[in-house]
Every structure is written in structure tokens, then in C-alpha cells.
């Protein structure tokens, strides 16, 4: 991804990083990351047209991002766009300033949020971009 570029997953849309890699154009710059937008006032039940969904699985890699995955709109500071969903399994997050950010969201059905992760590795290494 180019310097400070981002991916926006709109409500009702899905992004599937199935074994793929999303990274910066080189190891000296960072990109913003993936913003998964939703609707703060709507449910996360089922396949919701109200919430964006990102899947990272099968050794998928997100690297060199300011925020790897943000469940909400941190760029425009719009709290009403919280509620995006992340389903992360067997994934990797490398050299991100923050790998995953959950914004405040109260699921309307009183169940746990639909997001979660398992068997996922988060780590920096020597090539971590410090001056971006």
C-alpha cells in the first residue's frame, strides 16, 4: 500500500484476507490500515447489512500499518460508525503501531460482540518502521 493509504470496508461489505498479504510499499513507510465501518445503533446479528466485516485467516498477514484493523472510523473521528466486525483466525500482524483497535460498541442483543481472534500472532521485528 502507498504511504498513508487505507482500505475502508463499508457497512454491508466484506474483505477477506485469506492467506494474502497487505503491506506497505516498502519497509520505510507505513499505511493507515483497514477501517471496518458499521452502525453504532444497529445489531451485529447474522450477515448484517449494517456492519462491515473483515476476515483475516489461513496465515494472512497485515503489516507496516498505523492501525492494522480499526473497527470504526478513527480517521474522521466518527463514533457513530463503530460496530464493524473482525473475524481473525490463524493470522499474523507484523510491525504495526497498533494491530487491532476495537472502538466502543454495545451490541444491541446483549450478546458478546461478533468480533474475535484465535491462534493469531502479533509482533514487531528489527525492520519496524519507527519514524512514520
Amino acid at each position: 500500500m502507498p504511504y498513508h493509504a487505507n482500505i475502508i470496508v463499508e457497512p454491508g461489505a466484506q474483505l477477506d484476507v485469506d492467506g494474502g498479504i497487505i503491506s506497505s510499499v516498502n519497509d520505510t513507510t507505513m499505511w493507515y490500515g483497514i477501517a471496518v465501518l458499521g452502525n453504532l445503533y444497529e445489531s451485529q446479528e447474522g450477515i448484517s447489512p449494517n456492519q462491515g466485516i473483515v476476515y483475516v485467516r489461513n496465515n494472512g498477514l497485515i503489516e507496516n500499518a498505523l492501525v492494522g484493523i480499526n473497527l470504526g472510523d478513527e480517521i474522521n473521528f466518527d463514533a457513530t460508525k463503530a460496530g464493524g466486525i473482525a473475524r481473525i483466525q490463524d493470522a499474523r500482524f507484523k510491525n504495526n503501531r497498533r494491530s487491532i483497535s476495537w472502538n466502543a460498541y454495545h451490541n444491541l442483543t446483549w450478546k458478546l460482540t461478533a468480533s474475535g481472534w484465535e491462534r493469531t500472532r502479533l509482533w514487531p521485528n528489527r525492520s519496524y518502521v519507527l519514524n512514520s
Side-chain angles (χ1 to χ4, degrees):
M1 299 291 293
Y3 178 68
H4 280 195
N6 65 334
I7 296 172
I8 298 173
V9 181
E10 296 283 347
Q14 295 183 13
L15 172 64
D16 192 354
V17 183
D18 189 350
I21 298 171
I22 302 179
S23 183
S24 60
V25 70
N26 58 48
D27 282 339
T28 62
T29 61
M30 298 187 95
W31 60 294
Y32 276 120
I34 301 168
V36 186
L37 306 182
N39 186 325
L40 179 65
Y41 306 107
E42 298 291 338
S43 172
Q44 292 181 330
E45 291 294 309
I47 303 296
S48 173
N50 304 307
Q51 316 298 359
I53 302 175
V54 63
Y55 298 91
V56 184
R57 53 188 163 189
N58 297 323
N59 218 26
L61 173 65
I62 308 294
E63 73 176 343
N64 298 337
L66 294 173
V67 181
I69 296 175
N70 182 36
L71 301 180
D73 186 357
E74 231 175 53
I75 294 172
N76 297 310
F77 305 106
D78 187 349
T80 65
K81 296 200 175 171
I85 299 167
R87 296 191 177 145
I88 304 164
Q89 184 176 30
D90 300 312
R92 300 170 297 147
F93 290 80
K94 178 180 170 188
N95 293 344
N96 301 301
R97 287 232 174 116
R98 187 176 343 149
S99 291
I100 304 170
S101 175
W102 269 265
N103 289 358
Y105 172 77
H106 176 74
N107 199 345
L108 300 175
T109 60
W110 295 96
K111 295 181 182 178
L112 293 175
T113 179
S115 296
W117 65 14
E118 58 183 299
R119 297 183 306 273
T120 295
R121 183 174 178 204
L122 298 87
W123 83 99
N125 70 14
R126 284 189 215 146
S127 67
Y128 177 67
V129 182
L130 295 175
N131 296 319
S132 294

